[in-house]
Amino acid sequence: MTTTAFIGLGAMGGPMAAHLARAAEAGGGRTLVWNRTAAKAQAHAAQYGSEAVSLPELAQADILFTCLPTSAEVDAMLGELRPHLRAGMYWVDCTSGHPDAALRQHAALAELGVKFLDAPVSGGTKAAEAGNVTMMFGGAAQDFEAVRPHLAFGGRVVHVGSVGAGFAVKAINNALLAVNLWATGEGLAVLAQGGVNLGAALEVINASSGRSNASENLIPQRVLTRTFPATFALGLLAKDTGIASDLIGQHKSSAPVLAQTAALWRGASRVIDPQEDHTAALKLIEQMNGVTLT
Amino acid sequence: MTTTAFIGLGAMGGPMAAHLARAAEAGGGRTLVWNRTAAKAQAHAAQYGSEAVSLPELAQADILFTCLPTSAEVDAMLGELRPHLRAGMYWVDCTSGHPDAALRQHAALAELGVKFLDAPVSGGTKAAEAGNVTMMFGGAAQDFEAVRPHLAFGGRVVHVGSVGAGFAVKAINNALLAVNLWATGEGLAVLAQGGVNLGAALEVINASSGRSNASENLIPQRVLTRTFPATFALGLLAKDTGIASDLIGQHKSSAPVLAQTAALWRGASRVIDPQEDHTAALKLIEQMNGVTLT
Amino acid sequence: MTTTAFIGLGAMGGPMAAHLARAAEAGGGRTLVWNRTAAKAQAHAAQYGSEAVSLPELAQADILFTCLPTSAEVDAMLGELRPHLRAGMYWVDCTSGHPDAALRQHAALAELGVKFLDAPVSGGTKAAEAGNVTMMFGGAAQDFEAVRPHLAFGGRVVHVGSVGAGFAVKAINNALLAVNLWATGEGLAVLAQGGVNLGAALEVINASSGRSNASENLIPQRVLTRTFPATFALGLLAKDTGIASDLIGQHKSSAPVLAQTAALWRGASRVIDPQEDHTAALKLIEQMNGVTLT
Amino acid sequence: MTTTAFIGLGAMGGPMAAHLARAAEAGGGRTLVWNRTAAKAQAHAAQYGSEAVSLPELAQADILFTCLPTSAEVDAMLGELRPHLRAGMYWVDCTSGHPDAALRQHAALAELGVKFLDAPVSGGTKAAEAGNVTMMFGGAAQDFEAVRPHLAFGGRVVHVGSVGAGFAVKAINNALLAVNLWATGEGLAVLAQGGVNLGAALEVINASSGRSNASENLIPQRVLTRTFPATFALGLLAKDTGIASDLIGQHKSSAPVLAQTAALWRGASRVIDPQEDHTAALKLIEQMNGVTLT
């Protein structure tokens, strides 16, 4: 009988916790939930059969999942939970957090006998709802093996290295998203200036060697349609490129393309709007080129 | 009864012309072939049922295809064929050529009553053999429609704009390939410096938003295996990023990431080796970071 | 007795031609002037003792100087003057022109027996008025020696290479100006975000290894004062970085920093205003960083 | 009667401390010196009239200067000196240190009643010997005023902001040095490919708007001569560009040119040699362009 707990019932966390509750119901365990806005937890309990509990009660779970905007919110939760956490439990942080924070949080929890794993997710809300998010784990192999059977919301689940490695891979993944998206925007701006039909250009690029998730999905669905649906904020992707830059600084890496792109995303976040969808960064490319990508 | 002709029986052109010959056999037409190395044409004829002919004879075809290393070789062929070309024929250039050359060649051929279309291909030798290369056409819509039924080696066939637009889209596609490949190499170098397992990292990236053709195919198959099979030369991709840079210059585009990446590829071509496979450019990233991507 | 002629009596050309007229008066020669706006030529003649003449008359000079916005205007003048030019004369083009244009103009003039030298100038209006502009000559050594004694407006006068080399050096000089100015703007934006006093920071930078003409003169005089006096247009400097990019393309150079900076200047020219002073490009850096450089 | 102390008698620190000793002799004070290699301190005392003392004795000075390779060595000294430091004294750190270290060291010393100022220097060994190094101070204004009369080795001495600001300005200065040097190297590589005489090109650039300390001094004296005298190591300048990158990360700045250049310097440090002179970084530009800058 395993008791899981979940903090952070947002667009990703809500459906992820629902999968835990469903599995608990099937398997005889319990799923405890908590949210800074208490009503969200109560609604989740009512809808999915989880239990909305207090933090001290939640801190008695076998596995605690967190899914928050940044590592700063995880630090805050750790402060509140510290007096209550049960030795021997696991804390699996699904936030797109900072590798430095993972090391710090791991050390602080180790003093309490709590095992920390960083396990950011990808796939967006669609995968969260389908219960097959991709998970990249940093931490001890035996801790990974211990929690693995209880990842009811997980699809592809991969152990990528020691503590912090999960966050590192997530940061690099998002930095690559930022590069691919920006570069494809530049390429389309050049073609637009030359009078090329962008839909036709994307059709062939997507059947050719220059294709990426950005060219196949994001730009045709969000940019050429001029909808820019705000599912992943420009400011958050700019933050993630900053985490990648921090990694680059720590390892004294030579990564000129990632470094330049991080700078451009920060600029776009300020010139456009950090709250807009991340694909709206291409509006800065449009301004710098005097074209609209349609 | 259509007579097609094909010049340039290389790794791509050979199997493409074979598909023309097969279609001619089925439909009652003819396929003429020519290669600078005459033995190649004779072998092609023997193996696929095409006809190895002289240039004056070849110049009487209904549709002439060229598939050569660069626009310079196409210019040379145009010079040799000029006295013989039949008014009313079509010249479809499948070279990864230069948009400026397309305009020049189009104008020169128009004086002879020959219609020029730029139609670079993608998909590599696998698609050429399967007869489903992607084709991006620049030229007049009615010329495109006229040749379309005769593209026996084509899969996805798209008309992207006026003369030169095909070459432009191909150059941008290859520039995006260059960016995606280089940036993914940088990202993996950073992760390697942090002790992350690169195979595991690629597995999650390829199930996440940062994926591209580079991360899904090229790097796992050619770089992490250390095989770097020379199917597409580093020097040729550096040339293609140069064509993209020329387009950027002509349109006075602001494309900092494409511009930076073109510079790095030229550097890699000199420091590594222009004859090596294009993926070997990542060896320069390795040198600049003191790691090996395995 | 030498007759000099001058086309293009703008902010630079006007005072340069005045020095020629002064030298002619002292030495017994003549100075002919022409301007697209005829009144400018007449005013120059009245003020400085030059002679406002027709193009056919001007084409009989021993040495013809041109000082125009771009090579396109020089091409236009060459077209108008072609029927009148005197064999054996010298054409010294002080425009910040394009190396390709120099080769083309040199060849066209050689057919008429006219010797062409590209000789762009630097030092700004102050040096033009003082009669000590820096001149960088491209062309044959003996042609350079022939015109050298007649450069009444010249200060440092250097022969840098064959035809086009003067324009090439000028383009690279201006590209370096663009880099130094942009990078110093970035550095000051970072310091401003950290609450550092920018005037004090520039004082020490200008006594240290990071100093440049941009940090010593342009930024303290034009940016920190918020005056941005429009003496050299942002759009013209963006054009010059484009000429440098063309050179990079021709030589297949690997110049990632020059390439990136050219892209950013083109973007700044569009987002800010091509008519503003070149230092106003730093307003884009301000927008991308949420600070004002004061 | 002021007692000054100096730790770190290297190529910069040795002559700086000598100026302190000379001033003490003239004014009736004392100058204490210490070096990790004790013989250096004894030789300094013998030559300049300073006093080689133990760390506990040195810790009784009124003003303690440190001049060490990086902030890590300053941290180590702080650890050793902590039990001995006299409340009320000043610690002036002339290292090219890290702004984060300054904040940390300032806080640690404040607990002991010791006032910390970061005061990196510039001007090289020539200025150290002449006793006119440029100094950029971060710290409280009254602390700056208190130490100001005792800077016998200082020339231009500027208070640029609060604790850490001195290190920040130094890092940005060195980042600008790195940009100007690299970009000028690129520009000269392009000109060399075009057959331009580089000495002549530098002569006109240095009389024009693109000039910088790099073009006026470093490249003609160290690169074109192929001497690359190792006075400031490539690895140390790469470290300084890394400090600038850290500042950029902290302020979430958008500084694409500084970011790219930092990446290229790290790459050059690995591909060439971190022990070579910083100007030897241009050998990577040479490799990437197939030219030698002579």
Side-chain angles (χ1 to χ4, degrees), chain B:
Chain B
M1 286 310 153
T2 302
T3 300
T4 56
F6 206 101
I7 295 180
L9 303 169
M12 290 295 292
M16 285 160 69
H19 282 281
L20 290 178
R22 223 162 284 146
E25 199 181 346
R30 301 171 63 199
T31 296
L32 316 177
V33 295
W34 190 89
N35 201 78
R36 182 75 56 195
T37 309
K40 273 201 181 176
Q42 283 147 7
H44 195 276
Q47 186 170 359
Y48 301 112
S50 57
E51 305 170 44
V53 300
S54 67
L55 286 180
E57 196 172 349
L58 180 127
Q60 300 310 308
D62 298 303
I63 307 176
L64 165 62
F65 296 93
T66 38
C67 192
L68 296 164
T70 74
S71 287
E73 286 84 2
V74 181
D75 279 333
M77 290 311 308
L78 199 157
E80 294 184 52
L81 286 165
R82 193 189 299 264
H84 311 295
L85 290 167
R86 187 167 69 72
M89 75 183 302
Y90 294 87
W91 184 321
V92 177
D93 184 20
C94 299
T95 302
S96 288
H98 200 296
D100 288 353
L103 292 169
R104 199 174 60 228
Q105 291 156 355
H106 170 81
L109 290 168
E111 290 180 13
L112 308 172
V114 176
K115 289 141 194 159
F116 177 88
L117 292 142
D118 49 303
V121 300
S122 74
T125 52
K126 208 187 292 188
E129 279 151 21
N132 60 5
V133 300
T134 297
M135 302 185 72
M136 46 212 94
F137 272 85
Q142 72 270 27
D143 297 343
F144 169 66
E145 294 303 338
V147 302
R148 193 178 201 166
H150 306 288
L151 308 170
F153 49 76
R156 190 178 301 259
V157 168
V158 184
H159 183 228
V160 294
S162 57
V163 176
F167 289 160
V169 171
K170 176 74 177 177
I172 294 297
N173 175 78
N174 283 16
L176 293 177
L177 164 63
V179 170
N180 298 349
L181 195 43
W182 188 277
T184 308
E186 284 185 359
L188 294 181
V190 175
L191 291 174
Q193 289 168 327
V196 172
N197 180 303
L198 297 192
L202 272 179
E203 185 183 348
V204 290
I205 289 170
N206 288 334
S208 302
S209 55
R211 72 182 181 277
S212 63
N213 174 51
S215 70
E216 291 174 312
N217 298 303
L218 296 171
I219 293 180
Q221 294 165 13
R222 299 178 180 221
V223 179
L224 297 201
T225 59
R226 313 307 293 170
T227 54
F228 305 102
T231 63
F232 178 33
L234 171 41
L236 281 180
L237 185 50
K239 176 214 63 163
D240 291 340
T241 65
I243 296 178
S245 295
D246 285 351
L247 282 172
I248 288 169
Q250 282 165 24
H251 300 310
K252 303 186 194 315
S253 315
S254 175
V257 175
L258 297 188
Q260 173 190 43
T261 309
L264 294 169
W265 278 86
R266 282 171 177 159
S269 181
R270 289 205 183 85
V271 175
I272 306 302
D273 180 350
Q275 305 296 330
E276 277 211 50
D277 189 59
H278 61 302
T279 55
L282 275 61
K283 293 181 185 176
L284 179 55
I285 297 176
E286 295 180 328
Q287 289 181 22
M288 291 173 82
N289 283 283
V291 295
T292 304
L293 302 179
T294 50

Side-chain angles (χ1 to χ4, degrees), chain A:
Chain A
M1 288 309 151
T2 302
T3 300
T4 55
F6 206 101
I7 294 179
L9 304 168
M12 291 295 291
M16 285 160 68
H19 281 282
L20 290 179
R22 223 162 284 145
E25 199 181 346
R30 301 171 62 199
T31 296
L32 317 177
V33 295
W34 190 89
N35 202 78
R36 183 73 57 194
T37 308
K40 274 201 181 176
Q42 283 147 7
H44 196 275
Q47 186 170 1
Y48 300 112
S50 57
E51 305 171 44
V53 299
S54 68
L55 286 180
E57 196 172 350
L58 178 128
Q60 301 309 308
D62 298 303
I63 307 175
L64 165 62
F65 296 93
T66 37
C67 193
L68 297 165
T70 74
S71 287
E73 285 84 3
V74 180
D75 279 334
M77 289 312 308
L78 199 158
E80 294 184 53
L81 286 166
R82 192 188 299 264
H84 312 294
L85 290 166
R86 188 168 67 71
M89 75 184 301
Y90 294 88
W91 183 321
V92 177
D93 184 20
C94 299
T95 302
S96 288
H98 200 296
D100 288 353
L103 292 170
R104 199 174 62 228
Q105 291 156 356
H106 171 80
L109 289 168
E111 290 180 13
L112 307 172
V114 175
K115 289 141 193 157
F116 177 87
L117 292 141
D118 49 303
V121 299
S122 75
T125 52
K126 208 188 291 188
E129 278 151 22
N132 61 4
V133 299
T134 297
M135 301 185 74
M136 46 212 94
F137 272 84
Q142 71 269 30
D143 296 343
F144 169 66
E145 295 302 338
V147 302
R148 193 177 201 168
H150 306 289
L151 307 170
F153 50 75
R156 190 179 302 258
V157 168
V158 184
H159 182 227
V160 293
S162 57
V163 176
F167 289 160
V169 172
K170 176 74 177 177
I172 294 297
N173 175 76
N174 282 15
L176 293 177
L177 164 63
V179 170
N180 298 349
L181 195 43
W182 188 278
T184 308
E186 284 186 0
L188 293 181
V190 176
L191 291 174
Q193 290 168 327
V196 172
N197 180 305
L198 297 192
L202 273 178
E203 186 183 348
V204 290
I205 289 170
N206 288 334
S208 302
S209 54
R211 72 183 180 278
S212 64
N213 174 51
S215 70
E216 291 174 310
N217 298 303
L218 296 171
I219 293 181
Q221 293 165 14
R222 299 178 180 221
V223 179
L224 296 202
T225 59
R226 312 308 291 171
T227 53
F228 304 102
T231 63
F232 177 33
L234 171 42
L236 281 180
L237 184 49
K239 176 213 64 163
D240 291 340
T241 65
I243 296 177
S245 295
D246 286 351
L247 283 172
I248 288 169
Q250 282 165 24
H251 300 310
K252 304 188 195 313
S253 316
S254 176
V257 175
L258 298 188
Q260 176 178 207
T261 308
L264 294 170
W265 277 86
R266 283 171 176 157
S269 181
R270 289 203 183 86
V271 175
I272 306 302
D273 180 350
Q275 305 296 330
E276 275 210 54
D277 189 59
H278 62 303
T279 54
L282 275 61
K283 293 181 185 177
L284 179 55
I285 296 176
E286 295 179 329
Q287 289 180 22
M288 290 172 83
N289 283 282
V291 294
T292 304
L293 302 178
T294 50

Side-chain angles (χ1 to χ4, degrees), chain D residues 165-218:
Chain D
F167 288 161
V169 171
K170 176 75 177 174
I172 294 297
N173 175 76
N174 283 15
L176 293 177
L177 164 63
V179 170
N180 297 350
L181 196 43
W182 187 277
T184 308
E186 286 185 358
L188 293 181
V190 176
L191 291 175
Q193 290 167 326
V196 172
N197 179 304
L198 297 193
L202 274 179
E203 186 184 348
V204 290
I205 288 170
N206 288 334
S208 301
S209 55
R211 71 181 181 277
S212 64
N213 174 51
S215 70
E216 291 174 311
N217 297 302
L218 296 170

